[in-house]
Structure formats: C-alpha cells, structure tokens
Amino acid sequence: QVQLVESGGGLVQAGGSLRLSCAASGRTFSSYVMGWFRQAPGKEREFVAAVSSSGRSTIYADSVKGRFTISRDNAKNTVRLQMNSLKPEDTAVYSCAAGRSMVITTSLYNYWGQGTQVTVSS
C-alpha cells in the first residue's frame, strides 16, 4: 500500500515562511504526480500545487503563484512545498497526494497523507 506522511506545519506570523515535506513509501515514488491540497475549517479541500513525476513541470493555484514552490527529490522519495510571504488566508490543514495525471481535481488523486496544520497569524 502507498503511504504518505507530511511534516513541517506550525504557527507563523504573516509575511513569514514555512517548508512542508511529504515522505512516500509503498510504491515507486517516481511514477506518480504529486500534489499539495489544503482545507480550511468549513471549506472544501482546494488545490494548491502539483509537480510531474519527473519534477520538470509544475502547476499552481492562482492564489499561491509567486509565493509557493513545489519540488521533489525522487532519490529520497520526498516532495516539498516552500511557502513564503504567508497570509492569514493560507491557514489550513495541508495534505500531500499521489496520482497518475497532472490535474487539479481532488478526486483524481488516489493516495493521501494525514495532513499537517499551518496557522498564519495576523
């Protein structure tokens, strides 16, 4: 079975930075598209960013373009999300996910981590 474990969440002031990591096991990591999603209380889960299996292509939600960077290290079976210039509206539980297509649709990602809390204070 595929297992994904996120880490790196925490409390940060507006304008600060956090780096999230996701460690993968169970299948060949390099064969999957990896994505980051987030869910705030009372809101639906939304797409944040995705990176292709090779690491050469990325896509971002408009709300995070220019502030967040997704990357992967296939040799270490990890994907990370560097978050800069954080805003209070970035507060959410952030989850990593694995899928087979480079898409923003939540339902097309098959495997999910447990999530890590990111809280941005004003």
Side-chain angles (χ1 to χ4, degrees):
Q1 59 181 340
V2 176
Q3 296 182 8
L4 303 171
V5 180
E6 304 95 335
S7 62
L11 175 64
V12 65
Q13 294 182 349
S17 299
L18 282 175
R19 181 180 178 179
L20 306 183
S21 295
C22 176
S25 64
R27 297 188 67 179
T28 303
F29 175 76
S30 61
S31 69
Y32 287 100
V33 169
M34 296 297 299
W36 285 96
F37 295 78
R38 66 188 184 187
Q39 186 169 26
K43 303 289 184 65
E44 291 188 348
R45 180 176 289 164
E46 66 174 347
F47 171 80
V48 176
V51 59
S52 64
S53 59
S54 69
R56 291 192 287 269
S57 297
T58 58
I59 52 175
Y60 296 91
D62 288 342
S63 59
V64 306
K65 285 181 179 178
R67 300 189 298 121
F68 291 10
T69 303
I70 188 171
S71 61
R72 68 192 298 158
D73 186 339
N74 286 341
K76 297 182 178 179
N77 280 19
T78 59
V79 59
R80 63 179 180 267
L81 185 70
Q82 179 66 46
M83 305 185 295
N84 299 326
S85 301
L86 284 162
K87 305 173 181 179
E89 51 262 46
D90 295 318
T91 295
V93 173
Y94 284 71
S95 301
C96 67
R100 292 294 188 180
S101 301
M102 194 71 164
V103 296
I104 65 171
T105 306
T106 302
S107 63
L108 296 182
Y109 288 78
N110 302 113
Y111 306 101
W112 294 82
Q114 84 287 353
T116 185
Q117 177 71 46
V118 171
T119 302
V120 184
S121 64
S122 59

